[in-house]
Amino acid sequence: MIPAASNCIELMPQARFEMNQRRAQSKVAHLWDLLDAVTDPEIPVMSIWELGVLQDVCVTHNQGSPAVTVVITPTYSGCPALSVMSQDITSALAKAGYENVRVEIRLAPAWTTDWLTGATKNKLRSYGIAPPDSTACPQCGSECTKLISEFASTACKSLYRCLACQEPFDHFKSI
Amino acid sequence: MGDKKLDDQIAEYALRLGDDALVFGQRLCEWCADAPTLEEDIAISNVGLDYLGRARMALQYAGKTLGRTEDELAFLRDSGEFRNLLLVELPRGDFAFSMVRQYLLDEFELLFFTQLCGSKDDTLGAIAAKTVKEVRYHQRRSANWMQRLGLGTQESQARTQAAIDQLWGYMPELFEMDELETSLLQAGIAVDRLELHSKWLNTVTAQLASANLQIPQIDWQVVGGRKGVHTEHLGHMLGEMQFLQRAYPGLQW
Ligand SMILES: [Zn+2]
């Protein structure tokens, strides 16, 4: 018997679990929440938290004024979106009154699409992008699709075509 | 920690890896808007971007010890100060030449960066862990092209074989261990390039043979990139790559 989806606990990679723990136990939960407004500039339905780029947020107090350190990790090593995300982090926090913000890039553990949760994958699908573990057509749902190119509009995507509805679509590569 | 000599050696090693990626990334970008099909154009540019990202990570790391920024290292050094392999600086040639070079390098990098993941230097290990994921799909594409070109038309086969013959003498440099890398290998930081050779040769020979392509019997080889002794081509490439920073020092977007 297959239990209902609502009754399943999703399997989660260790690194994603640790990220979730850092957020759950953080004393500055409001800052994490603020950063939920920062999205991938190329996929605006997905926040940097959902993408797995946002790793940690810490605050230190130097003579009363708070200094925020935000730790992020790159997706693909040459992804130009990383610098845009850094700027967006700085300006989102500045708007909330945090002027002293440092964005730190951490390379390890290496980013993987395994960090995307089921809910995030569903978001991608309804946005028209096939999520990492599926090459079914996000438009019509057909499994009958064909790879056109491993490289597409951005580093993180490949290009497919649906043989049922004939529409091309982006697939979020699994790495 | 605090070992000045070791830090200098690691910086030099990172500089080598960074220069390999930077110079090769620049060569790949020369195909942008000039590749045979739109899909290939996007593929080559994407692969080039991966190399550029790798170059930035490695040069930032080297620059910390060397006291120079990644941009200073990329744009303000002359060819004699570059430490890249000669293979990556050769002009892009025709599509077959570019794909053969990509393939030979991809098979090497797959082995090299898998090993480097276990480096005792955390940053080099982290760079390798990111890189190896990307090299996997680079290799899938270039190996696929070897099949298509080798088993394609008479002309595509001939051009691809010619590219292998031209590039073969640049291969030994990939497996050269000098004093620096030997010493870093003993410290558990660098990769033993020599040890990768037989596995690489077996894989490449089999893959090419299945595509009607042969490993040439040649008796020449060129090395020197690690010492800053380059072909004439690097200077020309840097002339274009560095023009803006040389003409307008410190210029920013
Ligand atoms: Zn469809």
Side-chain angles (χ1 to χ4, degrees):
Chain A
M1 194 187 81
I2 301 166
S6 59
N7 203 24
C8 289
I9 297 172
E10 212 179 323
L11 287 174
M12 186 183 292
Q14 182 71 20
R16 178 83 227 187
F17 174 74
E18 285 167 9
M19 282 160 63
N20 292 359
Q21 290 293 96
R22 281 198 292 274
R23 182 168 184 166
Q25 291 164 4
S26 171
K27 292 193 179 75
V28 286
H30 57 291
L31 293 183
W32 291 83
D33 295 347
L34 267 176
L35 294 175
D36 279 336
V38 179
T39 59
D40 181 331
E42 277 147 353
I43 311 171
V45 290
M46 188 162 54
S47 73
I48 54 171
W49 166 249
E50 292 168 317
L51 182 59
V53 161
L54 180 58
Q55 291 287 311
D56 206 357
V57 184
C58 336
V59 177
T60 51
H61 288 272
N62 190 9
Q63 292 164 347
S65 72
V68 185
T69 303
V70 179
V71 181
I72 59 175
T73 193
T75 53
Y76 285 73
S77 47
C79 181
L82 193 72
S83 60
V84 180
M85 291 189 257
S86 301
Q87 285 164 17
D88 290 351
I89 288 168
T90 312
S91 59
L93 291 171
K95 255 188 234 158
Y98 297 90
E99 292 297 337
N100 188 354
V101 176
R102 195 170 66 87
V103 179
E104 184 188 311
I105 312 272
R106 187 182 291 163
L107 298 178
W111 179 82
T112 159
T113 42
D114 295 345
W115 295 349
L116 273 59
T117 65
T120 304
K121 288 175 189 167
N122 287 336
K123 266 194 184 180
L124 277 177
R125 199 179 286 114
S126 33
Y127 187 65
I129 299 170
D133 47 7
S134 153
T135 53
C137 171
Q139 265 87 252
C140 75
S142 170
E143 302 267 351
C144 195
T145 59
K146 187 170 177 278
L147 175 71
I148 295 176
S149 172
E150 280 213 53
F151 300 86
S153 54
T154 65
C156 58
K157 289 181 237 136
S158 52
L159 189 62
Y160 276 73
R161 190 161 65 91
C162 174
L163 300 177
C165 73
Q166 305 295 331
E167 289 290 324
F169 64 89
D170 275 339
H171 166 64
F172 205 87
K173 278 192 284 210
S174 182
I175 70 161
Chain B
M1 275 291 113
D3 185 339
K4 176 81 173 73
K5 180 164 175 260
L6 187 64
D7 286 350
D8 288 347
Q9 287 181 327
I10 293 172
E12 176 73 15
Y13 193 59
L15 191 69
R16 291 178 176 190
L17 301 182
D19 283 350
D20 286 345
L22 178 67
V23 171
F24 195 52
Q26 178 72 14
R27 282 294 184 216
L28 290 174
C29 291
E30 290 173 2
W31 280 103
C32 190
D34 205 18
T37 65
L38 181 60
E39 286 78 9
E40 267 318 300
D41 206 292
I42 293 169
I44 295 182
S45 307
N46 264 300
V47 173
L49 198 60
D50 288 341
Y51 276 94
L52 185 64
R54 193 196 308 174
R56 292 192 57 191
M57 292 189 289
L59 293 181
Q60 277 170 15
Y61 186 44
K64 266 189 198 170
T65 303
L66 300 172
R68 304 178 80 176
T69 67
E70 52 177 314
D71 282 350
E72 286 167 357
L73 289 172
F75 298 120
L76 300 178
R77 281 180 301 155
D78 283 328
S79 60
E81 296 168 89
F82 272 76
R83 291 292 177 263
N84 58 281
L85 300 163
L86 299 178
L87 172 71
V88 296
E89 72 195 39
L90 300 176
R92 63 182 165 130
D94 62 9
F95 186 71
F97 186 89
S98 275
M99 287 320 298
V100 167
R101 171 164 60 177
Q102 183 78 53
Y103 173 67
L104 296 173
L105 195 58
D106 284 345
E107 291 289 7
F108 171 79
E109 289 190 340
L110 211 48
L111 299 172
F112 181 88
F113 286 106
T114 302
Q115 285 289 313
L116 191 62
C117 285
S119 173
K120 280 190 181 157
D121 183 88
D122 289 343
T123 305
L124 289 175
I127 293 172
K130 287 205 76 61
T131 300
V132 78
K133 282 168 177 260
E134 293 165 2
V135 176
R136 274 189 210 118
Y137 60 73
H138 298 168
Q139 184 270 350
R140 267 207 307 276
R141 165 171 165 272
S142 62
N144 189 297
W145 268 113
M146 290 303 98
Q147 296 286 317
R148 290 163 77 182
L149 293 171
L151 304 173
T153 64
Q154 233 174 18
E155 183 171 359
S156 72
Q157 196 278 342
R159 287 205 196 192
T160 310
Q161 185 61 57
I164 298 169
D165 297 347
Q166 282 175 52
L167 285 164
W168 203 251
Y170 293 90
M171 294 300 116
E173 196 177 19
L174 267 61
F175 303 96
E176 203 182 47
M177 291 295 286
D178 61 1
E179 204 181 314
L180 173 86
E181 299 203 7
T182 306
S183 147
L184 285 175
L185 171 66
Q186 280 156 4
I189 290 165
V191 174
D192 188 353
R193 294 171 175 271
L194 271 175
E195 196 198 50
L196 308 177
H197 186 258
S198 65
K199 196 164 182 204
W200 174 85
L201 188 62
N202 288 341
T203 308
V204 163
T205 307
Q207 175 69 245
L208 294 179
S210 74
N212 190 27
L213 298 162
Q214 275 86 46
I215 301 305
Q217 299 300 319
I218 54 148
D219 55 3
W220 62 273
Q221 65 174 63
V222 271
V223 295
R226 298 304 192 209
K227 293 194 179 79
V229 182
H230 290 280
T231 66
E232 67 179 290
H233 308 296
L234 182 65
H236 292 277
M237 196 203 87
L238 294 181
E240 191 172 299
M241 188 178 93
Q242 298 182 334
F243 168 77
L244 215 59
Q245 281 303 320
R246 300 286 192 179
Y248 305 94
L251 188 74
Q252 303 230 320
W253 281 111

